[in-house]
Amino acid sequence: MAFACTIPAVPTVQVDDDTVRITRWDFPPGAVTGWHEHGWPYFVVMITEGTLRIHDGTNVTEVPLAHGQSYRRPAGIRHDVQNGSDHPIAFVEIEVKRPEGLAG
């Protein structure tokens, strides 16, 4: 089950081509992405510091992250993400559709 929240996080797609999709996500305090699953492996790079609350359908994990910190996840994990901070946060998400397209 996803977080019970009516404040949506705001995605701004910056690049979407055959190789990658790059999206900036802006979250007011308490905002959520909504329940979703990525079709490709992806990276997240924090623009601001903040705490991501990640719901996997059973458990909620709080992950404090620093400005500039990054992480990666494989495709296919269903989840919902909430801003667990008392201030707005933002990150850039890079989904890799075709790793071979990154060469050259």
Side-chain angles (χ1 to χ4, degrees):
M1 173 181 271
F3 291 113
C5 179
T6 58
I7 305 168
V10 179
T12 304
V13 177
Q14 298 177 338
V15 175
D16 192 359
D17 59 27
D18 291 341
T19 303
V20 297
R21 178 185 300 142
I22 302 173
T23 306
R24 176 184 169 133
W25 285 89
D26 289 281
F27 292 72
V32 298
T33 57
W35 195 248
H36 65 284
E37 180 178 333
H38 295 265
W40 307 285
Y42 64 98
F43 300 85
V44 169
V45 181
M46 296 298 292
I47 295 173
T48 62
E49 76 171 40
T51 298
L52 299 182
R53 297 183 73 223
I54 302 172
H55 197 314
D56 67 6
T58 304
N59 300 304
V60 174
T61 304
E62 294 203 4
V63 182
L65 296 163
H67 165 82
Q69 191 171 355
S70 61
Y71 66 89
R72 68 181 176 131
R73 294 189 77 183
I77 300 172
R78 292 186 53 77
H79 61 287
D80 190 7
V81 179
Q82 181 179 50
N83 177 0
S85 305
D86 61 0
H87 59 276
I89 65 170
F91 61 73
V92 172
E93 173 184 88
I94 305 162
E95 297 172 282
V96 181
K97 299 176 184 180
R98 288 186 333 109
E100 67 279 8
L102 297 173

